[in-house]
Amino acid sequence: MENEVELVIDQPCLVIGGKNGSGKSRVLRKIAADLGPSALYIDLHHLCEQAMIVLRSRDDIDEMTEEFDPDGPDATRRDDLRRIIGRRYQEVQWFSLEIEPNDPSAAERFKWSGTQPLVPYFRTTYRDRAYTSLDMGLGEYSVHMLFWILEQYREPGLTLLLDEPDAYLPPVGVEGLLNRLIGLCLQRRWTMVVASHSEELIASAVEQEAFVLLQTDKQGHTQVQTAASDSAVADHLLTRASVDRIVFCEDESAWYLARAMLHSYSPSMGRRTAVVWGNGEGYLGDIVRHLPKPPLPEIYFAVAPDGDQRARFGAKGKWPVQFLPTTDDPDDLFMSLDGDRGLLAERLGADPADLGRFLDTLESEDAHDWVNLLGERYGRPHTLACLAQLWVEKNGDAARDFANELLTKWGI
């Protein structure tokens, strides 16, 4: 792909996100060009506009519908419409009208899987009021349009490429749209790639490790990051959830480890929990002893001393104490990753041979200095983030236990 961008489409649904101009639509069009007839590219916003231009240019639509029988929707599609749009229609009729758009390129696209251009026209009745495509809001119309288009294609093995299909939908309809599309794709053995700005869609995809972030660097090249490799990859695209939990830890290494564990357990938990670090364990005891706890707290607090403090940390109070995993300091946990230098080099973006030689020079260093020196060489924030994420991946049970026990102590 352009600028050597590669997407691995290895699951039923992949969601692409990024700021305006990051290349989402361009990537979808390039995939469509590469796959040819086995791809279906739908830029729903544009297709809806084109269809409405055609329908509004005619004054004989009602007469035309008298010549055709409705061709849908069936009971399954009616249920899709109801759950996404939120309306229990008394009647829904879809018509496929043989009208050729004046724009030659639009006429070609409206041939769908056949040879004759077809423009959809919808009639509905809701709460005893009858109305048509021309009376619908854009959100309602776009859902009918999308599912009508999908009914024109039945062959298995198709790759469905959707460019912002949720642009006109309220948040309440977005998750329903995604779930219904995934069900349809699984039934027909299709693969789906969706470009979207929707926070609901992006957050859901991050949870399933099915999100890809596109970014443009200073040279104008498109860069790719995935939720599978970084659970916080979409945080800057999402409205910050209201923080209602605060965890205090000892130092910067503990901060990165705690955040990685919380995000690994649930991205939403990571967004809702602020992690604060200080200078050692001393202040944690003061928090436990003196921070009051109201009967119905709006914000939940906890302290998370390093694991090597289990035998020494004796402060007690009303808020929970949840030690970081194991009986070691976080820097010791990070230093243990020296045993997997190949994976560590991959995560740091370092040359394996260069990293190996550098780590050999650190063999006599204690864990604290080992982490600091590695951070000086490869960038401290980047290094700490990579070490924390990699340790959590290799110790998933311990990371989940930390989050689970914390929630249990909070009574959440």
Side-chain angles (χ1 to χ4, degrees):
M1 299 194 64
E2 294 181 38
N3 304 326
E4 298 183 351
V5 171
E6 292 186 4
L7 288 183
V8 179
I9 307 174
D10 57 356
Q11 47 193 311
C13 176
L14 200 65
V15 175
I16 299 175
K19 296 181 178 179
N20 290 331
S22 60
K24 299 184 296 297
S25 298
R26 184 172 66 250
V27 166
L28 290 185
R29 290 193 295 268
K30 185 63 167 61
I31 295 173
D34 289 345
L35 296 181
S38 65
L40 172 59
Y41 171 64
I42 299 177
D43 49 344
L44 193 59
H45 175 84
H46 179 71
L47 291 172
C48 287
E49 286 184 339
Q50 291 294 320
M52 291 301 290
I53 289 172
V54 173
L55 293 175
R56 287 170 178 157
S57 71
R58 307 287 295 241
D59 57 9
D60 60 346
I61 298 296
D62 288 331
E63 289 82 357
M64 292 184 68
T65 59
E66 299 300 326
E67 302 175 11
F68 299 92
D69 291 327
D71 55 7
D74 62 18
T76 300
R77 296 290 83 84
R78 286 172 65 100
D79 192 50
D80 291 336
L81 298 173
R82 179 178 68 82
R83 291 183 179 275
I84 298 168
I85 299 171
R87 292 193 165 186
R88 289 185 176 273
Y89 293 112
Q90 293 160 272
E91 185 178 22
V92 185
Q93 293 180 323
W94 287 352
F95 295 90
S96 301
L97 305 181
E98 295 180 357
I99 306 174
E100 183 163 343
N102 293 326
D103 183 341
S105 62
E108 189 63 31
R109 293 200 64 189
F110 275 70
K111 290 181 181 179
W112 314 113
S113 60
T115 58
Q116 171 66 42
L118 297 174
V119 176
Y121 182 68
F122 313 125
R123 281 180 175 168
T124 62
T125 302
Y126 174 65
R127 292 184 176 177
D128 297 325
R129 185 176 74 89
Y131 59 99
T132 72
S133 300
L134 298 171
D135 307 307
M136 291 180 178
L138 287 173
E140 181 179 10
Y141 179 71
S142 67
V143 176
H144 282 269
M145 181 76 171
L146 175 59
F147 282 92
W148 178 88
I149 294 172
L150 298 181
E151 288 302 288
Q152 312 307 307
Y153 298 84
R154 292 286 182 166
E155 61 272 23
L158 200 66
T159 298
L160 179 60
L161 307 167
L162 298 178
D163 198 348
E164 297 191 34
D166 49 4
Y168 299 125
L169 288 178
V172 70
V174 172
E175 188 171 356
L177 173 67
L178 180 63
N179 290 337
R180 291 283 157 159
L181 287 173
I182 290 175
L184 184 148
C185 288
L186 290 173
Q187 181 184 32
R188 297 183 182 177
R189 301 199 298 278
W190 290 359
T191 300
M192 180 170 63
V193 183
V194 183
S196 178
H197 286 287
S198 164
E199 292 193 25
E200 289 74 18
L201 211 59
I202 291 172
S204 178
V206 169
E207 295 270 6
Q208 303 300 320
E209 296 188 350
F211 177 73
V212 174
L213 173 69
L214 299 185
Q215 292 179 303
T216 304
D217 63 19
K218 293 181 179 179
Q219 288 72 42
H221 298 153
T222 300
Q223 305 295 324
V224 175
Q225 291 179 276
T226 68
S229 60
D230 180 2
S231 62
V233 67
D235 280 5
H236 69 291
L237 299 176
L238 304 173
T239 302
R240 176 74 183 183
S242 298
V243 171
D244 57 5
R245 306 159 193 172
I246 298 177
V247 175
F248 297 92
C249 56
E250 291 189 26
D251 54 28
E252 193 176 14
S253 292
W255 183 84
Y256 275 96
L257 180 59
R259 286 187 77 246
M261 289 190 292
L262 295 174
H263 274 280
S264 174
Y265 181 82
S266 164
S268 62
M269 183 175 182
R271 290 192 296 271
R272 293 177 61 181
T273 307
V275 182
V276 180
W277 63 278
N279 187 23
E281 80 282 357
Y283 85 105
L284 298 181
D286 291 336
I287 290 175
V288 172
R289 284 188 289 266
H290 302 300
L291 190 64
K293 182 179 182 181
L296 296 173
E298 296 181 8
I299 298 179
Y300 291 80
F301 295 91
V303 299
D306 293 351
D308 62 351
Q309 296 295 319
R310 292 176 189 272
R312 298 192 292 272
F313 192 88
K316 294 182 179 180
K318 295 184 177 180
W319 290 107
V321 175
Q322 179 61 42
F323 291 96
L324 295 180
T326 81
T327 57
D328 293 325
D329 179 280
D331 286 336
D332 288 304
L333 303 183
F334 293 164
M335 187 175 177
S336 70
L337 299 172
D338 191 350
D340 197 344
R341 294 185 175 186
L343 188 55
L344 184 57
E346 178 184 322
R347 295 303 174 84
L348 289 171
D351 177 76
D354 178 71
L355 176 64
R357 287 190 293 270
F358 181 69
L359 290 176
D360 286 342
T361 68
L362 304 183
E363 288 185 354
S364 61
E365 304 290 345
D366 64 26
H368 182 71
D369 290 337
W370 185 91
V371 170
N372 284 341
L373 292 169
L374 195 65
E376 288 178 9
R377 187 174 184 88
Y378 295 105
R380 185 172 181 82
H382 173 63
T383 298
L384 286 171
C386 289
L387 291 172
Q389 185 70 32
L390 184 54
W391 189 89
V392 168
E393 289 177 15
K394 294 172 72 70
N395 299 271
D397 288 344
R400 283 187 293 273
D401 288 346
F402 172 82
N404 272 324
E405 290 171 13
L406 188 55
L407 289 173
T408 300
K409 292 177 179 179
W410 274 331
I412 297 177

